[in-house]
Amino acid sequence: MDAAADTSVAMAEPKAEAGPRASALTGAAVSLLKSPGFRTMLLLFIVYLALSVVVFEPLMGNITTYAPGTGGDTYQNLWDIWWVNYALFTLHTSIYHTNMVYVPIGANLAYQTMAPLASLLSLPFQLVSIPFAYNIMLLIGVALSGLCMYVLSDYVVKNGPASFVAGLIFTFSSFHIAQAYGHIDWIYIGWVPLSVYFFLRLLHDDRKLVPAVGLGVSFVLVSFMGDVEQSIELSMVLSLILIAYALFKHTRALVLSKATRKYEFLAVVIALVLGSWGFLPILQTISQPGALSQANYGNQLQNDATWSIPPASFFIPSYFNGIFDSNPANYFPSVFAADPGERIGYIGYTVIALVALGLYTGYKRSYLWLGLAAIFGLLAMGPAAGLYVLYHDLGPLNIIREPDRFYLVFSMAIAIMAAFGFSDLLAMMRDGPDRLKKSALAVVVVTAILLVESNGMALSAPLLNQVTTNASIPSFYGELGAALANYSRSGNATTSFSLLPLPVLPNPYAAQPALFAGQAMYYQTASHVPIVGGDLTRFNTTQELTLYNVPLIQLATDLEYNGTPAFPPSPVTSNPINQSVLLLVSPYNYRTAFVTVNLLAYNQSTASIMTSLLSSVFGNYSYYDNYTLAFNTTRASATLYKSFNAYPLLTDWQEVSYLVNGTRTLFWTPINNNTPYGSIAVSAPYQNPNETRSYIQSGGVYYINANLSFQALSTCGSAGLDIEYLGPLGSPEALTKQPIQITSRLASYSMPVRLVSGPSGNTLIFVQRLGACSAGQQQLILMRDIGFSRA
């Protein structure tokens, strides 16, 4: 009968000869969809998804305009999911480098928490809005994390209802809810337990191919739907499991077998091949000199303590739990101070009770999970617990600078032990016709209690303002982008130009230091215009120093948190406004077409000061929308090259307060990373200022004779100073050196220099030839009032 049935099917489908393999695959797919296991997974996913909607209810009423979290990180997360798709499908470039921020040098995004695979998942939903895409991605990620935890628990505990509870405990933990509100890469944490599931199957199953493939694939998902921090945690977990299995005779053979090692190697190969598009840029980045120090930016033990979970936090409901306290200002400030989102570690008393029951009825089955919970719980407590200090000394692996992130593995282990306890609780129920109802009721009751205990629902206005952000983009930015595009097509700008948002430097005194920089990045998703500055997860000092080189940027920041306008001190006497304008509009520097000001950063008085200052330089603002002013920089370009403008590279100069004739005086010494030299860029005017525009347009090289003057002294004895200045490449005067002797008495010095006129500029390098003082101290040349004038 089977043969006849097969024949009849073949006759009924004349195209069957097109591919028996395709028919087999189609049949397998249909069988999978009809299988009870798949239907169970789909049902569980829908349940977890529905519960996610309940837990994140504050977002649901404004799902297209509000985003989870607050501050610069929220805007950065929204920019991340936009950038991945914009880079791939519009710019057709790598997602790991961008010229859209930190003009003119751009930024390496290898350390950025982009979660690129999750960002790709969001692409269809971005057609509605970026906040909508992010919120849908949030709900899916939380539901998937619960489902993945269910899979691991069902394999270990072998009890469906208990494993459902394990999924609840893991994905709706107070920790996960808090992280999901603020970090895109910590929404999808479920791939870690899924990887552990495949690894355990790889050790135990006779057929190891499927687990090996699953482990390789899931590791890639951990890395690029989560982040590298999760990859490191997962690697630590797998290593600890191998060690634990090797310690006991009855499991040692599972670890040491040749088949296990072979398929572990296969899993590694699969992960490296499938993830090569992401791993290679990251490896290439960290192999560069100083790259690891950038990855560890801010990773000092005293800072890490801020992002650690205090022991009391394991037993205090979440800071964001509006059921227990609607006013976060009064909610355990000694525990949640500094950064509440990174100090939430509430386990839940129901979970503790289930864990205790499971340990009481069968503690031997929980040895592995108890050990993982202990290790990662201690790590989550940070430097105070001691174990994190050892991790911190692990060299390249110690990039997790927020110890609370180790709670991920802690909660996974706790969920497994709680599932054992819940399974035992169900077993204690008497047999009978109503046992199924009792089990279902137990699941419902425990689910309700868990959601109440661990919830992060903001049920009051103060809490709501701390977990959600109105991410609507003013129409002004789309209009500005169109205006700049027309501006470029009309020939009034170079093919690449930028926008400077003020303030752009972080405000160390604000509750959200990078709020406005992050907002400017997010608004870029509407304007598509590169910006000066930005807000990245881990940036290097070179990027930030491109901002400090522009005095106007520093003034805007000082005005924001000091309330008084003051340009930063400098070794040169150049007009800081002219210096700023030159840097901004020059095609060789920032290429800035517009400067915008976010008035929300200022009070009425400081906003008036900022507006007046920019109006005096650029004329009246060109656009106004909500709280944003925009100034067209081209109005200032006519006078740019009619005077000398000089600016130091800040990393090359060190401020020194020195006693001169009984008076404390501010000097600068040219030192670059303890190397005795420093550089200054100089833009020189044209010989005939009335023909500036024609000179610029001609593109020729023109020289002007000038005088360089400065005050200087040597801290002891006489010291040599070589002044080297560079002309255009290929010119006969590409390098000129003038030596001079500096005495120990403060004196004025002057010398003739021949400079190139116009926007290409000149670079002067001041090289100290130093000796040792009689007292054994280092000799230094101190300088001030460096200026230029026509000869």
Side-chain angles (χ1 to χ4, degrees):
M1 292 179 64
D2 290 341
D6 290 342
T7 303
S8 65
V9 170
M11 293 177 63
E13 301 206 19
K15 293 184 179 180
E17 69 272 17
R21 180 177 299 178
S23 298
L25 291 174
T26 302
V30 172
S31 298
L32 174 64
L33 293 175
K34 291 183 176 180
S35 67
F38 176 81
R39 284 182 289 181
T40 299
M41 293 296 164
L42 180 60
L43 177 61
L44 286 169
F45 175 78
I46 293 172
V47 172
Y48 285 130
L49 185 64
L51 293 174
S52 301
V53 172
V54 173
V55 169
F56 292 97
E57 182 275 335
L59 291 166
M60 297 303 103
N62 301 286
I63 194 170
T64 62
T65 55
Y66 273 67
T70 57
D73 280 358
T74 292
Y75 292 119
Q76 184 187 120
N77 290 336
L78 295 169
W79 183 88
D80 285 341
I81 68 171
W82 167 82
W83 163 250
V84 169
N85 296 292
Y86 186 72
L88 291 176
F89 303 117
T90 301
L91 300 181
H92 307 292
T93 188
S94 169
I95 65 173
Y96 288 105
H97 186 273
T98 180
N99 291 315
M100 297 296 288
V101 297
Y102 286 103
V103 171
I105 64 173
N108 188 324
L109 300 178
Y111 302 132
Q112 184 73 355
T113 52
M114 292 184 292
L117 293 179
S119 298
L120 285 172
L121 176 66
S122 75
L123 180 58
F125 306 110
Q126 289 189 32
L127 297 175
V128 178
S129 72
I130 294 176
F132 177 76
Y134 192 94
N135 289 324
I136 294 298
M137 193 171 63
L138 168 68
L139 298 176
I140 292 175
V142 172
L144 279 176
S145 296
L147 185 63
C148 290
M149 187 65 227
Y150 169 88
V151 170
L152 172 62
S153 178
D154 194 47
Y155 180 76
V156 174
V157 181
K158 296 178 173 55
N159 184 290
S163 297
F164 171 76
V165 170
L168 284 175
I169 293 170
F170 179 73
T171 200
F172 295 113
S173 70
S174 296
F175 163 81
H176 189 208
I177 293 172
Q179 290 296 325
Y181 268 127
H183 304 102
I184 179 178
D185 48 322
W186 284 84
I187 294 173
Y188 289 82
I189 63 173
W191 307 123
V192 171
L194 187 66
S195 296
V196 174
Y197 158 75
F198 282 119
F199 187 64
L200 293 177
R201 282 192 55 189
L202 180 61
L203 294 176
H204 287 275
D205 290 8
D206 293 330
R207 297 181 179 180
K208 300 182 183 296
L209 178 60
V210 171
V213 174
L215 178 59
V217 172
S218 59
F219 190 90
V220 174
L221 293 173
V222 168
S223 304
F224 302 113
M225 218 169 210
D227 67 4
V228 176
E229 288 185 348
Q230 293 178 35
S231 300
I232 291 175
E233 288 194 44
L234 174 60
S235 300
M236 294 169 65
V237 170
L238 300 186
S239 299
L240 289 170
I241 291 175
L242 286 176
I243 293 172
Y245 270 54
L247 289 177
F248 294 96
K249 289 183 179 180
H250 65 283
T251 54
R252 190 172 299 153
L254 299 176
V255 173
L256 299 178
S257 75
K258 184 179 295 185
T260 297
R261 294 200 302 272
K262 180 177 72 173
Y263 282 101
E264 284 175 344
F265 178 76
L266 176 62
V268 171
V269 171
I270 291 172
L272 291 177
V273 171
L274 292 180
S276 59
W277 55 272
F279 291 129
L280 289 177
I282 293 174
L283 291 173
Q284 183 180 15
T285 297
I286 64 175
S287 65
Q288 301 301 315
L292 286 178
S293 62
Q294 178 186 340
N296 277 313
Y297 175 81
N299 190 6
Q300 292 85 35
L301 288 176
Q302 61 269 29
N303 292 339
D304 296 349
T306 302
W307 301 306
S308 302
I309 296 178
S313 182
F314 288 100
F315 307 99
I316 299 174
S318 170
Y319 178 86
F320 301 122
N321 192 323
I323 293 177
F324 294 102
D325 197 313
S326 61
N327 188 353
N330 301 326
Y331 196 69
F332 296 95
S334 61
V335 173
F336 296 111
D339 193 343
E342 302 287 359
R343 297 171 73 85
I344 293 173
Y346 181 57
I347 301 171
Y349 291 101
T350 304
V351 176
I352 293 174
L354 291 174
V355 170
L357 176 61
L359 292 175
Y360 176 76
T361 55
Y363 61 90
K364 290 184 178 180
R365 61 191 175 183
S366 295
Y367 278 157
L368 174 64
W369 309 105
L370 186 61
L372 289 175
I375 291 171
F376 283 86
L378 288 171
L379 286 171
M381 287 189 278
L387 187 60
Y388 180 81
V389 178
L390 297 177
Y391 162 78
H392 196 269
D393 293 332
L394 287 179
L397 295 179
N398 68 348
I399 66 169
I400 302 178
R401 61 186 181 186
E402 303 89 355
D404 69 299
R405 306 291 172 85
F406 287 107
Y407 193 94
L408 187 162
V409 178
F410 172 81
S411 65
M412 178 184 73
I414 288 293
I416 291 291
M417 290 190 289
F420 278 128
F422 190 76
S423 176
D424 293 339
L425 180 64
L426 295 179
M428 294 176 186
M429 297 179 180
R430 295 180 179 178
D431 292 333
D434 60 345
R435 179 173 181 177
L436 184 60
K437 292 182 180 180
K438 289 182 179 179
S439 297
L441 180 61
V443 170
V444 170
V445 170
V446 169
T447 298
I449 295 174
L450 287 175
L451 292 182
V452 169
E453 273 200 287
S454 67
N455 93 84
M457 292 185 287
L459 302 178
S460 66
L463 280 169
L464 187 64
N465 292 333
Q466 293 197 36
V467 296
T468 62
T469 294
N470 186 342
S472 302
I473 301 178
S475 59
F476 160 74
Y477 286 92
E479 296 166 2
L480 182 60
L484 287 173
N486 293 331
Y487 178 68
S488 179
R489 285 193 294 268
S490 67
N492 294 322
T494 59
T495 55
S496 177
F497 49 84
S498 69
L499 180 149
L500 169 63
L502 295 176
V504 67
L505 284 170
N507 180 351
Y509 303 105
Q512 302 287 352
L515 172 63
F516 299 110
Q519 190 179 68
M521 278 183 64
Y522 172 54
Y523 288 169
Q524 184 186 75
T525 65
S527 69
H528 296 179
V529 175
I531 63 172
V532 178
D535 176 31
L536 299 180
T537 305
R538 303 193 186 205
F539 58 88
N540 58 41
T541 53
T542 302
Q543 291 168 346
E544 189 166 278
L545 284 170
T546 62
L547 306 180
Y548 282 100
N549 276 337
V550 182
L552 180 62
I553 291 177
Q554 291 196 65
L555 178 139
T557 304
D558 289 341
L559 188 63
E560 177 190 359
Y561 59 75
N562 285 335
T564 55
F567 284 106
S570 171
V572 302
T573 59
S574 178
N575 183 311
I577 283 289
N578 288 348
Q579 175 185 335
S580 298
V581 174
L582 174 69
L583 283 166
L584 292 174
V585 305
S586 169
Y588 299 93
N589 287 296
Y590 296 86
R591 306 182 302 276
T592 300
F594 281 85
V595 176
T596 62
V597 180
N598 191 324
L599 297 179
L600 291 176
Y602 304 98
N603 58 37
Q604 186 174 359
S605 175
T606 53
S608 177
I609 293 172
M610 197 71 206
T611 304
S612 298
L613 175 64
L614 293 176
S615 296
S616 68
V617 178
F618 302 116
N620 293 330
Y621 52 82
S622 304
Y623 297 89
Y624 176 82
D625 190 274
N626 289 346
Y627 297 97
T628 304
L629 305 182
F631 297 84
N632 190 325
T633 64
T634 57
R635 300 180 182 180
S637 62
T639 60
L640 275 181
Y641 307 109
K642 294 185 179 181
S643 61
F644 290 93
N645 288 290
Y647 49 95
L649 183 62
L650 291 179
T651 52
D652 285 4
W653 295 85
Q654 186 178 108
E655 290 186 33
V656 177
S657 179
Y658 194 74
L659 200 63
V660 179
N661 298 326
T663 303
R664 187 65 62 178
T665 306
L666 185 63
F667 291 92
W668 283 262
T669 182
I671 286 185
N672 183 318
N673 292 327
N674 296 320
T675 303
Y677 70 84
S679 59
I680 290 178
V682 183
S683 171
Y686 287 94
Q687 196 68 43
N688 184 351
N690 295 324
E691 299 180 6
T692 298
R693 186 174 297 278
S694 62
Y695 281 134
I696 295 174
Q697 292 176 347
S698 70
V701 177
Y702 300 91
Y703 294 91
I704 185 171
N705 294 321
N707 285 322
L708 163 66
S709 61
F710 56 88
Q711 289 188 319
L713 61 83
S714 169
T715 54
C716 61
S718 179
L721 179 67
D722 292 336
I723 301 176
E724 305 173 356
Y725 49 100
L726 308 178
L729 294 176
S731 73
E733 299 183 13
L735 176 63
T736 304
K737 179 189 292 186
Q738 293 194 29
I740 191 171
Q741 286 297 118
I742 306 297
T743 68
S744 59
R745 299 186 62 180
L746 180 62
S748 297
Y749 297 86
S750 179
M751 64 192 65
V753 290
R754 192 164 184 251
L755 301 178
V756 177
S757 298
S760 60
N762 307 262
T763 301
L764 275 70
I765 303 175
F766 297 78
V767 183
Q768 304 185 65
R769 289 183 279 110
L770 303 174
C773 299
S774 58
Q777 298 177 348
Q778 182 185 13
Q779 186 184 49
L780 290 175
I781 293 176
L782 307 182
M783 305 178 66
R784 57 176 294 167
D785 296 338
I786 302 172
F788 299 86
S789 60
R790 291 176 181 270

